[in-house]
Structure formats: C-alpha cells, structure tokens
Amino acid sequence: MIDLSEIPVAKPAKGSAGKTGTWRVLRPVIRYDKCTRCRLCIMYCVENTIDQEPNLYPKIDYDYCKGCGVCAQVCPTKAIAMVPEVK
Ligand code: SF4
Ligand code: SF4
C-alpha cells in the first residue's frame, strides 16, 4: 500500500489574506463510523488539506479547507457530510 505522506505534494500555507479556510461556508464533516479508510478523499482534495492519521483515517485541516465539497462527492460510502459553517 502506498504511503500517501511520502508523495511530494505541496501543502497549503497562510497567504496574504490569512488562512484560506476562513472563506469556507460549508464544512465537510467525516462520519468515521461510515469511513472505510479508502483514502479517495485524501487523493481528490483539491487543496491537499486532508491528511492520513497513523490509523489510516482521514483528518481534515480546517485552517485551509475551502469547503468545495469534492471530498464528499467522491466518498463511496457517503461518509462526508457538508454542513453549514457556523461563524
Ligand atoms: S471540502 Fe474541498 S478543500 Fe475541504 S477537505 Fe473537502 S475537497 Fe478538500
Ligand atoms: S473517501 Fe470516504 S470512506 Fe474513503 S477515506 Fe475518505 S471519508 Fe473514508
């Protein structure tokens, strides 16, 4: 199995407007009871803000997630719900 942490992909960083996660209006929330650890959300996240925990479950970095919903769309078990962001 490929260790995704070893793939050289740039991580998002604080920009001139601050942490880009503040733009988000919808928040992806992972239901771990439905997650099969397939890692598709990690591979498809357009911002590379989903990391793989040592237990192989995905973890979203909300400092930089923009709430695009791609992860929820590709999740085969519908384990990711997009919920309104509470500011
Ligand atoms: S909502 Fe978009 S930016 Fe946020 S974790 Fe999912 S794919 Fe990545
Ligand atoms: S795509 Fe869905 S099932 Fe696969 S690791 Fe992500 S949350 Fe879990």
Side-chain angles (χ1 to χ4, degrees), residues 28 41 69-76 78-82:
C41 56
V70 170
C71 54
Q73 287 294 318
V74 300
C75 177
K78 302 297 176 205
I80 303 177
M82 300 301 295

Side-chain angles (χ1 to χ4, degrees), residues 24 26-28 41 44-50 60-61 64-72 80 82:
R24 192 177 54 245
L26 291 176
R27 167 181 286 244
C41 56
Y44 277 90
C45 175
V46 296
E47 298 292 335
N48 195 23
T49 60
I50 309 179
I60 298 170
D61 180 350
Y64 296 104
C65 162
K66 293 197 180 108
C68 67
V70 170
C71 54
I80 303 177
M82 300 301 295

Side-chain angles (χ1 to χ4, degrees), residues 18-84:
K19 292 178 177 175
T20 47
T22 57
W23 305 352
R24 192 177 54 245
V25 293
L26 291 176
R27 167 181 286 244
V29 177
I30 300 172
R31 278 194 55 182
Y32 288 102
D33 60 320
K34 296 178 78 175
C35 175
T36 60
R37 303 186 289 186
C38 72
R39 306 185 297 172
L40 276 179
C41 56
I42 298 171
M43 289 187 269
Y44 277 90
C45 175
V46 296
E47 298 292 335
N48 195 23
T49 60
I50 309 179
D51 285 323
Q52 190 172 21
E53 300 264 60
N55 61 12
L56 303 183
Y57 279 104
K59 182 180 180 187
I60 298 170
D61 180 350
Y62 291 111
D63 282 346
Y64 296 104
C65 162
K66 293 197 180 108
C68 67
V70 170
C71 54
Q73 287 294 318
V74 300
C75 177
T77 63
K78 302 297 176 205
I80 303 177
M82 300 301 295
V83 302

